[in-house]
Amino acid sequence: MDPKQDKLVQEMSNEQSVGTGGRLADMGWDNGLVRMPNWSTMDMLMKHRVHPMSIIASTSPSTPVSGTDDNLEHWHSKACKCDCQKNPNSVWPTETNSLDCMPECPYHKPLGFESAAVTPDQISCSNPEQYTGWYASWMANKARLNGQGFGCAWLSKYQDTNQWLQIDLKEIKVISGIITQGRCDADEWMTKYSVQYRTDENLNWVYYKDQTGNNRIFYGNSDRSSSVQNLLRPPIVSRYLRLIPLGWHVRIAIRMELLECMNKCV
């Protein structure tokens, strides 16, 4: 943990009455795998531009995890229930103080790739200066779920793992899922990918991790038209996201949507 994060953790520990379980005992959930910050803590982390997962990585035990199936079952069994007293259409709150559940979104709202609420300037890709001629019709801003016709997807000009598709959310949001599709008019799609995020353009990119601390690999599409949804547990609290293609069929081709975490009782 760097000095800034260590100082922040100490400040939060002083403010939130440390218990016998350690300096983060009253700051979040402990699911037996990693200790998750509660929503009050997450609000403080956001204000200081520190992502919760960086605190988790620095304070969680390093003991190897075994029994993956049991761990996953335990992970999902402690999902937070939505608070029906809140505004049912509001963004998922950060003031929850329960210590017995994981931060999992009860409702997911499409961010607006398909509806065009996400504007073209919010979507970019690697090597944008190379998208000329025929490729000018297949630029990053075409990566929209259910897009149709010529230019219905982002087609990477280069087929390697150095390519990326980036989204600027314009402000820090809680992103709870990713939906992907392949190219609408040809058998080209992304089969697997990883995700990076950062809260500020001056910070380094951070990989989204799985419960074992490894970069999580998300599995994508197997045909041109089906959509594949991957939920983020825990969600990503950030402004910038990147999809890093790791595998593809014929060519890297992406239509997509992001899901925003909402507080709606179901």
Side-chain angles (χ1 to χ4, degrees):
M1 188 184 301
D2 63 36
K4 177 183 176 182
Q5 292 180 3
D6 189 55
K7 180 180 179 182
L8 178 57
V9 168
Q10 188 61 51
E11 291 175 357
M12 291 188 293
S13 299
N14 293 336
E15 292 180 10
Q16 301 194 32
S17 64
V18 177
T20 57
R23 65 178 178 180
L24 293 180
D26 295 330
M27 294 170 62
W29 301 274
D30 188 345
N31 72 336
L33 298 175
V34 293
R35 183 172 289 115
M36 302 301 300
N38 63 32
W39 288 103
S40 178
T41 302
M42 288 177 71
D43 187 45
M44 182 178 294
L45 293 173
M46 288 168 65
K47 291 177 181 178
H48 288 266
R49 298 184 180 276
V50 175
H51 194 277
M53 294 304 289
S54 64
I55 300 296
I56 294 165
S58 302
T59 57
S60 298
S62 57
T63 304
V65 177
S66 60
T68 303
D69 291 341
D70 292 339
N71 287 332
L72 286 174
E73 182 178 355
H74 187 58
W75 176 282
H76 296 304
S77 69
K78 302 186 74 173
C80 295
K81 305 301 181 183
C82 65
D83 183 352
C84 293
Q85 303 302 315
K86 303 294 183 181
N87 180 349
N89 294 313
S90 64
V91 173
W92 183 243
T94 59
E95 68 270 15
T96 303
N97 289 314
S98 172
L99 299 178
D100 59 359
C101 65
M102 292 289 294
E104 182 174 339
C105 301
Y107 179 68
H108 312 274
K109 171 188 175 183
L111 191 66
F113 280 74
E114 184 176 7
S115 69
V118 174
T119 57
D121 65 294
Q122 291 181 254
I123 314 171
S124 58
C125 66
S126 48
N127 307 299
E129 70 283 353
Q130 299 295 321
Y131 285 76
T132 59
W134 183 83
Y135 275 97
S137 298
W138 304 89
M139 297 178 67
N141 62 66
K142 299 299 183 71
R144 298 179 182 275
L145 193 71
N146 295 321
Q148 297 297 322
F150 183 73
C152 64
W154 172 55
L155 301 184
S156 177
K157 187 169 183 179
Y158 304 102
Q159 315 311 311
D160 59 55
T161 55
N162 295 318
Q163 307 310 305
W164 45 262
L165 185 66
Q166 178 176 316
I167 301 93
D168 178 0
L169 303 172
K170 298 298 187 182
E171 61 182 351
I172 293 179
K173 291 182 178 290
V174 182
I175 300 301
S176 55
I178 303 168
I179 303 174
T180 59
Q181 282 178 312
R183 178 177 171 180
C184 69
D185 58 354
D187 289 335
E188 300 173 356
W189 54 79
M190 176 177 63
T191 59
K192 59 182 178 178
Y193 60 97
S194 59
V195 174
Q196 294 179 323
Y197 59 86
R198 62 183 181 185
T199 55
D200 187 276
E201 61 183 354
N202 296 316
L203 298 177
N204 293 330
W205 290 97
V206 177
Y207 276 96
Y208 187 86
K209 305 288 186 179
D210 60 22
Q211 294 100 304
T212 65
N214 296 316
N215 297 345
R216 179 176 169 182
I217 297 175
F218 297 86
Y219 289 93
N221 303 92
S222 57
D223 60 44
R224 66 169 73 177
S225 58
S226 299
S227 59
V228 174
Q229 174 178 282
N230 282 292
L231 296 181
L232 301 171
R233 300 186 177 102
I236 291 176
V237 183
S238 196
R239 172 175 172 175
Y240 300 95
L241 274 77
R242 274 186 179 179
L243 271 61
I244 314 293
L246 300 177
W248 49 89
H249 177 75
V250 181
R251 190 205 307 263
I252 299 171
I254 302 175
R255 291 180 287 168
M256 66 170 293
E257 181 67 85
L258 290 179
L259 301 177
E260 183 177 8
C261 187
M262 303 295 289
N263 175 35
K264 180 176 180 178
C265 299
V266 294

